[in-house]
């Protein structure tokens, strides 16, 4: 293996699943999220396709519009290396099922992909989308707001949270009580050695600037739940551990959990199951 091939495998979560081979785990993941998101759209009152920008993917879906205005809200950002067309905010609606049963509204926030937008531009636009969703929660007088992200969705939240909290009112900032970072990537520099960078076009310097692992962060008192999967790529698990150590040393209110027997894909799929450890944990944390 060349150095680049080493990085290609190490930073490709589909290579590490113990359930299926690399191709099958991706195919079955997309089938699962498409099917179950369709079921959720049919059974939960929702308001779909709200635009926060001019891009066709700069939209968000709200699930649980039948719930009390004061209900807590979770805003979720999906993964896909900022470039996967088959993973969208629309087919991540499945995570709203368990949350709705527990009286929690869910907002799925989408974004334009590379190469149409650079990673920096995607993050800038996501910040606008997050502020609009936070404004929505504030107007409803929601009693609590939580953010979650999977894979690069977790990267986006980790990268944006400090500036986000500075750009909104103190009341809005206080509303953000917790963040769930699921199987996140917090050091983007190795991505420059992968084929994924053909579309992202990150330089080593830009990748470092966009890496929460190296940035100056201030999350205030917001609880940061860093979640890894035992059967994920060792690089992703290591990133979660390193990021937890960084936040812990800077005095952040942070927690690290590695979910046993889960991989990069079924850790998010299983949020459809109330008995799954992470689903149960998230519901209990939000309902506190």
């Amino acid at each position: 293996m060349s150095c680049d091939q080493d990085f290609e495998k190490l930073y490709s979560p589909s290579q590490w699943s113990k359930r299926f081979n690399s191709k099958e785990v991706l195919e079955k993941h997309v089938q699962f999220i498409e099917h179950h998101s369709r079921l959720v759209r049919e059974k939960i009152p929702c308001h779909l396709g709200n635009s926060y920008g001019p891009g066709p993917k700069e939209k968000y879906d709200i699930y649980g519009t039948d719930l009390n205005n004061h209900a807590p809200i979770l805003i979720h950002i999906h993964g896909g290396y900022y470039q996967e067309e088959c993973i969208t905010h629309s087919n991540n609606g499945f995570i709203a099922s368990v949350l709705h049963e527990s009286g929690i509204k869910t907002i799925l926030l989408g974004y334009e992909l590379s190469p149409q937008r650079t990673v920096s531009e995607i993050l800038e636009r996501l910040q606008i989308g997050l502020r609009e969703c936070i404004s929505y929660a504030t107007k409803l007088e929601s009693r609590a707001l939580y953010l979650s992200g999977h894979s690069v969705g977790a990267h986006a939240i980790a990268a944006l949270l400090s500036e986000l909290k500075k750009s909104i009112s103190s009341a809005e900032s206080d509303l953000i009580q917790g963040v769930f970072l699921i199987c996140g990537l917090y050091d983007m520099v190795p991505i420059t050695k992968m084929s994924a960078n053909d579309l992202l076009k990150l330089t080593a310097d830009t990748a470092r600037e966009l890496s929460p692992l190296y940035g100056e962060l201030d999350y205030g008192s917001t609880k940061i739940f860093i979640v890894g999967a035992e059967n994920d790529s060792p690089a992703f698990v290591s990133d979660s551990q390193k990021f937890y150590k960084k936040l812990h040393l800077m005095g952040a209110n942070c927690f690290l959990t590695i979910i046993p027997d889960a991989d990069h894909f079924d850790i998010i799929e299983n949020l459809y199951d109330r008995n799954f450890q992470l689903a149960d944990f998230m519901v209990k944390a939000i309902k506190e």
Side-chain angles (χ1 to χ4, degrees), residues 92-142:
N92 269 248
F94 70 94
I95 72 169
S97 179
V98 167
L99 296 171
H100 183 260
E101 289 173 3
S102 304
I104 302 164
K105 293 183 182 180
T106 308
I107 300 179
L108 285 304
L109 183 61
Y111 51 88
E112 290 298 296
L113 304 177
S114 293
Q116 285 78 16
R117 291 236 165 105
T118 65
V119 176
S120 295
E121 289 169 342
I122 292 169
L123 293 174
E124 288 171 6
R125 300 300 301 170
L126 275 172
Q127 175 119 254
I128 293 171
L130 283 167
R131 286 202 299 265
E132 185 165 320
C133 293
I134 292 168
S135 177
Y136 166 82
T138 303
K139 288 174 183 175
L140 288 185
E141 298 183 347
S142 169

Side-chain angles (χ1 to χ4, degrees), residues 3-16 80-81 84 151-152 183-197 213-214 232-240 242 264-265:
C3 180
D4 283 359
Q5 287 174 319
D6 285 336
F7 275 101
E8 196 73 28
K9 179 175 181 180
L10 191 57
Y11 285 86
S12 298
S14 61
Q15 299 277 350
W16 300 89
Y81 262 130
E84 293 290 345
S151 196
V152 293
C183 294
L185 191 61
Y186 311 105
D187 179 0
M188 298 290 281
V189 175
I191 305 307
T192 62
K193 302 175 183 179
M194 285 182 58
S195 60
N197 201 45
L213 195 59
Y214 304 119
D232 199 354
S233 154
F236 279 70
V237 176
S238 176
D239 256 32
S240 290
K242 289 176 183 176
H264 192 83
F265 302 95

Side-chain angles (χ1 to χ4, degrees), residues 213-230:
L213 195 59
Y214 304 119
E216 292 186 15
L217 306 173
D218 181 6
Y219 295 160
S221 61
T222 301
K223 294 177 183 177
I224 311 296
F225 301 103
I226 301 170
V227 184
E230 181 184 23

